[in-house]
Amino acid sequence: MIFARDTRSLEYLQQVCSPRVNLRLAPDFTNLVASQPPTDISTFNDVVALVPNRRMLDKANATIGAAYVDFMVAVGRHVCSLGYRVVVVVHELQLDAQLARDIAARIDGAVTLSEADPLRLKGVFGACRCVISSRYHALIAALSQGVPAFGTSWSHKYPALFG
């Protein structure tokens, strides 16, 4: 049995799989996984998490990719001007660490946060005031805990999630 998390992915699978393969549509399940909140949740009350994704540079169209870093920096600076603290979260440790550092370096007062434990990372997103993310599971982590989230997209899965 193979599960697709959105209708477009299901259509892709139907095109390449044998008719005998059992295909089903099922939403992502990570929203059901409990988080481990930070010890002192109140330290995140005024935090907006920015979650970059290197795939925005190499998988999005060239115009979006070329403007992506400047866009994330502008968003972070605007968030700071509203009185919030910006934490640039490294969601994919191997792929996004340098990108996160580059973005944070251009936003006064911003810091980066890396957390290898996915349950603790989900807890961080749940403690933030807002999440602005280019990572799919960061969006799910925020939304499933009632935290407002805004997303950028390089793939059909993001509009499917918001749909």
Side-chain angles (χ1 to χ4, degrees):
M1 184 172 292
I2 299 174
F3 292 94
R5 64 179 160 206
D6 60 74
T7 55
R8 189 182 228 176
S9 295
L10 181 63
E11 291 167 3
Y12 290 153
L13 285 168
Q14 289 168 334
Q15 292 171 13
V16 298
C17 289
S18 159
R20 294 187 308 261
V21 174
N22 196 357
L23 301 174
R24 294 279 190 272
L25 182 64
D28 190 279
F29 67 89
T30 55
N31 61 318
L32 303 174
V33 177
S35 68
Q36 291 181 353
T39 306
D40 186 1
I41 290 178
S42 66
T43 62
F44 289 90
N45 284 347
D46 64 342
V47 168
V48 173
L50 290 184
V51 189
N53 184 343
R54 190 138 202 69
R55 293 292 160 238
M56 290 294 297
L57 302 176
D58 63 7
K59 298 288 186 189
N61 75 48
T63 303
I64 290 172
Y68 177 68
V69 172
D70 289 339
F71 169 78
M72 291 296 276
V73 169
V75 167
R77 288 176 177 167
H78 182 70
V79 164
C80 287
S81 77
L82 297 173
Y84 297 100
R85 292 185 301 130
V86 171
V87 174
V88 183
V89 179
V90 180
H91 194 275
E92 176 24 78
L93 298 176
Q94 297 296 318
L95 194 61
D96 299 334
Q98 186 59 52
L99 178 60
R101 286 191 295 269
D102 292 346
I103 291 170
R106 293 178 53 196
I107 303 167
D108 287 340
V111 297
T112 59
L113 182 146
S114 297
E115 174 56 65
D117 183 332
L119 300 180
R120 291 175 55 143
L121 186 57
K122 185 175 182 178
V124 166
F125 293 132
C128 289
R129 172 71 88 194
C130 179
V131 173
I132 301 168
S133 177
S134 303
R135 282 275 169 200
Y136 184 84
H137 285 103
L139 292 167
I140 291 174
L143 292 169
S144 67
Q145 297 178 90
V147 175
F150 300 90
T152 64
S153 174
W154 62 270
S155 166
H156 71 274
K157 64 186 179 179
Y158 294 86
L161 170 64
F162 286 124

